[in-house]
Every structure is written in C-alpha cells, then in structure tokens.
Amino acid sequence: GAGVSQSPSNKVTEKGKDVELRCDPISGHTALYWYRQSLGQGLEFLIYFQGNSAPDKSGLPSDRFSAERTGGSVSTLTIQRTQQEDSAVYLCASSLVGRGSNQPQHFGDGTRLSIL
Amino acid sequence: EDQVTQSPEALRLQEGESSSLNCSYTVSGLRGLFWYRQDPGKGPEFLFTLYSAGEEKEKERLKATLTKKESFLHITAPKPEDSATYLCAGGMNSGYSTLTFGKGTMLLVSP
C-alpha cells in the first residue's frame, strides 16, 4: 500500500520567504508527526496531531512555525520569514494510534529545505 | 531529561564481519524501544520494537536485544546492502507521545 507522501522533495528559497511543506499520511493512520533532521543531529520533534484533539505544538522552535491538519488527513507545515538556520530535512510520520501507544511511526522521505 | 545515546557514531566493517551497535537510554517510563534504518535521501524505515528487558527480535541478519538500560543491534555476517544509518528511539509514557531519537550509527560494509 501507499506510504507517507511528502512534497516537495526539495525546496530552495530565499531568506525571508514563507514556505509550505505537505504531508499525506498512510490511510487510516490517526496520528501524524512532524520532525526536523539537521546534519549531524538526531530527529527533533516539532508537532503532533491525533484525531480531532488539539495538536501538541510543544516542539515548534518559534512562532514562525505552524502546522495544520485538514479533515484528519493531509497536513501542512508552514515556516514564515525563513532563516538560514531553518535549513534541514523536514520529516513527516504517521501511526495507527498516538499518545501512549507502542505503534511504530512510519516516515515519508522528507522535504529537504535550503534557505539561501 | 529523556535521552538516547548511540555508539559508535560510525562503523566500518568488512563483508561477513559481525558486530553490534549500542543504544543506551534514560527514558522515563519506556513504552517501547524502536530501531530504524535510514538510507541516504530517504526517511527512516521501521525495523523493530522492543517492549521489555530480555526481549529479542530478528530480521534477516539483524537481531535487536533490550536490557533495562540499553539495546543492541547485532549484525551477523553483514553484506554491503546493510550499509545505512541505524537509528534508535525511545517511546515514553510521560504523556508525550513522540519518540526521542539518538543521532544514529552510520554503518558502512565493504565488499
């Protein structure tokens, strides 16, 4: 079956511009996560959605970052007024059940964001 | 603070040379220890979940084990196609649903 799909796969933009990254989770997965992976660093949690509950935004690094999930499926991560330190690979994952669960998260191939 | 530490950072093996990767964790209320494989330019691919000390899981040349403080990923007679970065992550039950990832071990298997 189809896995987690992310688009675009690569994005190059100028400092100060806004960017939108898209994630289409595995069908039927109610939990959706966004992570950031920088060179030489581990995956950094950004935000988590579970069903119709309020998202857990505790990992967002600044108020320039926001995300939404429409209809319990597709999610969009938006970065406003991009800075060079925002350059990283942004990974999306989904799982069958969220909070407190042992269900593995399944990842997309990420969006590689480069800020010039 | 919950933490996951992997060692070594990088490992180079000859084809057929068995070895182990280490993942030590200080995650309160561990609800699962996850191993992933990540190829360059790809997202992490799920390998195993371990739930309790003493548990072992195997898949082809890989075997994952878990103690109360660490997990090992044993690679038996590796092949060049096993070359990848292996990530370890701890799942918590502290009300936070996400995984705490280590920085990974980059494995290179030479023919």
Side-chain angles (χ1 to χ4, degrees):
Chain A
V4 176
S5 177
Q6 292 189 246
S7 61
S9 54
N10 287 282
K11 177 72 176 179
V12 181
T13 192
E14 294 179 346
K15 176 182 172 181
K17 299 286 188 184
D18 297 352
V19 295
E20 284 190 355
L21 312 179
R22 176 189 167 103
C23 172
D24 198 344
I26 293 172
S27 178
H29 282 193
T30 58
L32 186 147
Y33 312 78
W34 283 97
Y35 292 86
R36 178 167 71 175
Q37 187 174 34
S38 303
L39 193 63
Q41 301 298 315
L43 273 72
E44 174 191 5
F45 165 73
L46 297 177
I47 189 169
Y48 156 75
F49 296 89
Q50 163 57 8
N52 295 321
S53 301
D56 179 349
K57 304 178 182 180
S58 57
L60 295 179
S62 78
D63 59 8
R64 296 186 295 104
F65 288 71
S66 63
E68 63 178 20
R69 188 179 185 189
T70 54
S73 180
V74 172
S75 176
T76 302
L77 177 69
T78 301
I79 308 173
Q80 296 179 309
R81 305 181 301 282
T82 52
Q83 303 294 313
Q84 288 188 331
E85 59 262 29
D86 299 334
S87 296
V89 177
Y90 289 81
L91 290 161
C92 176
S94 68
S95 70
L96 277 171
V97 182
R99 193 172 293 274
S101 169
N102 297 321
Q103 294 293 328
Q105 296 175 22
H106 297 273
F107 286 82
D109 285 337
T111 293
R112 183 175 300 277
L113 178 63
S114 300
I115 309 300
L116 302 179
Chain B
E1 180 184 345
D2 295 319
Q3 198 167 1
V4 175
T5 303
Q6 293 188 246
S7 62
E9 291 184 5
L11 180 63
R12 187 165 188 159
L13 299 174
Q14 289 295 119
E15 185 172 2
E17 179 186 3
S18 301
S19 188
S20 296
L21 312 182
N22 177 266
C23 169
S24 63
Y25 62 90
T26 53
V27 175
S28 57
L30 187 75
R31 289 284 298 259
L33 191 292
F34 298 80
W35 281 98
Y36 286 84
R37 168 189 171 130
Q38 187 173 25
D39 293 298
K42 300 291 186 181
E45 174 190 351
F46 170 70
L47 292 174
F48 305 109
T49 310
L50 302 167
Y51 298 105
S52 57
E55 188 175 1
E56 298 182 353
K57 288 194 176 173
E58 289 188 62
K59 180 179 181 180
E60 296 181 355
R61 296 175 292 282
L62 300 177
K63 182 169 79 172
T65 61
L66 183 66
T67 72
K68 289 185 178 180
K69 293 184 178 180
E70 57 191 348
S71 178
F72 292 94
L73 184 65
H74 307 278
I75 304 176
T76 302
K79 298 182 177 182
E81 53 262 43
D82 294 323
S83 298
T85 295
Y86 290 86
L87 301 172
C88 164
M92 300 164 279
N93 73 347
S94 59
Y96 211 63
S97 58
T98 59
L99 300 178
T100 299
F101 279 86
K103 293 183 179 181
T105 294
M106 186 182 302
L107 174 66
L108 177 63
V109 181
S110 303

